[in-house]
Amino acid sequence: MILRLLTFPFRYTFGKLKKVVGKLDKIKIEPLYAFGNEDCIYVKGRVIEAYKQSKPSHKKNSLQNIVAALRRYAGSSVPDAKVEVTYFGQKKALYSDEEGIISCEFHTVCQETSEVHRVRFSLVEEEGLVSEKSMSSLKVQQFSKNHPIGVISDIDDTVLISHATDIGKKLWLSVSKNAFTRRPFPGVSGFYRELTENGKHPIFYVSSSDWNLYDLIKDFLAFRKIPAGPILLQDLHLSLKNIWKSGGGSHQHKLEKIKMLLDMYPGMRFFLIGDSGQHDPELYGEVIREYPERIKSVYIRKVSDGKEEGRTKLIEELKKIGESPQMVFVKNTQEAIKHAKQHEFIPS
């Protein structure tokens, strides 16, 4: 029934579809992240069609949330849009790709990471004029390369209950709930606040979800008072026809992004947090082998998927690595908190 509902609009032309889901003939820039170290700032944004999207609410029913999901996936990305990105007087002109994505790097002008700076985005009109109506900005999250502690966390079934190993349940949650009605795992907010010392240490979210879910994830973290940080999602072309693929794939991009963070902050030691349902133990195991002294601890929430025996062998292999951390499999966040207190990662 859900798949039939999602594919139904494709019987119409794209123009009619846009009318059905309330699209407007305007475009806007959605800033995604701006973060880096003393030397370099990485910036990413997305050009999308502006549309009337109501704010998430506990009062929204399943049908209203399904309509919101249709809006989110109904061809909102705008390719070939010219965007001017500005940081500390440095300007770059970019064109959005087929997903509407723009990305670039800037040399850091100010070495003081405690100062607050912003990256500004503007659409450039055909005449070469910058459109003031389309301007948006994003705070730069800048951390020292030698900052001592960082956290890298998966999202689906680690922070956000997603049932990622059950396509039916996963799809229903994706379209029938919103940022206020999706549920976190109990205790995650407090645990992450303890690990980051209430924002003193950075946290990065790395997920196989696609950029169409960025606003939902950002609003979810804010509503549930889970520490904010750069959200690194997957560049993957998804639409109503293949929405069920969101969060899937080889997950290789997660490994690439984690390695990028480790290289960007060479003096930082990380906590890695994930679940056993979508290859996190194997990915994190590879990270430990390549960066054996850079990982403080790994917390994996156990999901019954029939691969437990193989992962027991993985843990035994990791124990042989010089100063490898413990890869801790936990039933819930409370067990992770208990372990972190025992090892004085967080106060007792």
Side-chain angles (χ1 to χ4, degrees):
M1 177 65 185
I2 302 172
L3 285 173
R4 192 181 306 166
L5 177 62
L6 288 172
T7 56
F8 176 77
F10 281 89
R11 300 174 188 175
Y12 298 91
T13 65
F14 181 67
K16 289 182 179 179
L17 173 61
K18 290 188 350 183
K19 185 176 180 181
V20 168
V21 298
K23 296 280 183 178
L24 300 176
D25 294 328
K26 297 180 180 179
I27 61 178
K28 67 178 182 179
I29 303 171
E30 180 181 46
L32 299 174
Y33 61 65
F35 74 95
N37 55 31
E38 299 93 329
D39 298 329
C40 183
I41 297 295
Y42 288 84
V43 177
K44 196 158 198 164
R46 190 166 69 125
V47 184
I48 59 175
E49 295 180 22
Y51 57 90
K52 293 179 180 178
Q53 180 72 291
S54 58
K55 293 182 178 181
S57 168
H58 284 295
K59 298 180 181 179
K60 300 292 183 184
N61 58 37
S62 295
L63 180 58
Q64 290 172 311
N65 291 326
I66 289 172
V67 170
L70 290 173
R71 287 171 173 161
R72 184 177 292 116
Y73 280 95
S76 62
S77 299
V78 178
D80 299 320
K82 188 175 182 180
V83 178
E84 184 178 272
V85 186
T86 306
Y87 168 72
F88 252 101
Q90 303 176 67
K91 292 184 180 181
K92 295 195 176 184
L94 309 169
Y95 285 91
S96 57
D97 66 13
E98 62 178 344
E99 308 298 330
I101 296 292
I102 53 169
S103 59
C104 64
E105 301 174 24
F106 287 102
H107 293 296
T108 304
V109 175
C110 182
Q111 300 297 314
E112 179 52 63
T113 58
S114 62
E115 291 190 22
V116 177
H117 308 297
R118 302 189 75 83
V119 170
R120 303 190 183 280
F121 304 82
S122 302
L123 285 168
V124 180
E125 299 173 346
E126 291 183 4
E127 298 80 6
L129 300 175
V130 172
S131 173
E132 293 184 3
K133 293 182 180 179
S134 67
M135 287 185 178
S136 57
S137 68
L138 184 65
K139 177 184 174 182
V140 175
Q141 295 172 290
Q142 189 178 355
F143 315 106
S144 169
K145 289 186 287 186
N146 293 315
H147 188 94
I149 300 296
V151 180
I152 297 175
S153 174
D154 181 38
I155 297 175
D156 289 326
D157 286 328
T158 299
V159 175
L160 175 70
I161 295 176
S162 304
H163 298 294
T165 58
D166 186 320
I167 292 178
K169 287 183 179 180
K170 169 187 163 185
L171 179 59
W172 177 246
L173 281 177
S174 296
V175 300
S176 67
K177 302 290 184 180
N178 61 54
F180 284 16
T181 54
R182 293 292 296 267
R183 293 187 296 123
F185 284 95
V188 166
S189 176
F191 183 41
Y192 284 19
R193 287 201 300 270
E194 292 275 16
L195 285 178
T196 62
E197 294 188 35
N198 290 316
K200 178 181 177 181
H201 306 307
I203 184 168
F204 304 88
Y205 296 95
V206 179
S207 171
S208 292
S209 293
D210 63 283
W211 288 109
N212 287 301
L213 296 178
Y214 172 78
D215 62 331
L216 183 148
I217 294 169
K218 181 184 69 172
D219 291 342
F220 170 83
L221 294 174
F223 177 67
R224 295 296 181 178
K225 295 181 173 57
I226 299 171
I231 300 171
L232 311 180
L233 304 180
Q234 185 170 194
D235 295 335
L236 179 66
H237 182 62
L238 291 180
S239 63
L240 293 172
K241 285 184 176 179
N242 61 357
I243 183 177
W244 58 275
K245 291 184 179 180
S246 181
S250 69
H251 305 281
Q252 183 66 26
H253 84 101
K254 290 174 66 175
L255 181 60
E256 292 170 357
K257 288 179 172 63
I258 292 170
K259 289 182 178 181
M260 180 267 286
L261 292 171
L262 283 156
D263 292 338
M264 181 181 290
Y265 305 106
M268 197 178 288
R269 296 187 69 201
F270 285 91
F271 292 100
L272 303 181
I273 307 175
D275 66 273
S276 65
Q278 288 193 308
H279 309 291
D280 285 348
E282 290 81 2
L283 293 177
Y284 292 173
E286 189 168 339
V287 173
I288 292 170
R289 292 188 189 96
E290 192 165 338
Y291 303 86
E293 298 180 7
R294 298 286 308 285
I295 309 302
K296 286 186 70 68
S297 189
V298 179
Y299 293 106
I300 301 290
R301 192 185 70 81
K302 288 188 286 189
V303 175
S304 180
D305 59 1
K307 299 179 182 178
E308 288 78 5
E309 182 178 349
R311 279 155 184 169
T312 300
K313 294 179 181 178
L314 170 65
I315 293 171
E316 291 304 315
E317 291 176 8
L318 296 176
K319 286 180 179 178
K320 298 175 184 178
I321 299 176
E323 295 185 26
S324 68
Q326 295 184 16
M327 182 177 285
V328 185
F329 283 79
V330 296
K331 293 180 181 178
N332 49 49
T333 307
Q334 286 66 36
E335 287 189 2
I337 292 172
K338 181 179 179 181
H339 178 275
K341 288 182 176 179
Q342 289 175 342
H343 290 76
E344 299 183 343
F345 297 147
I346 61 177
S348 300

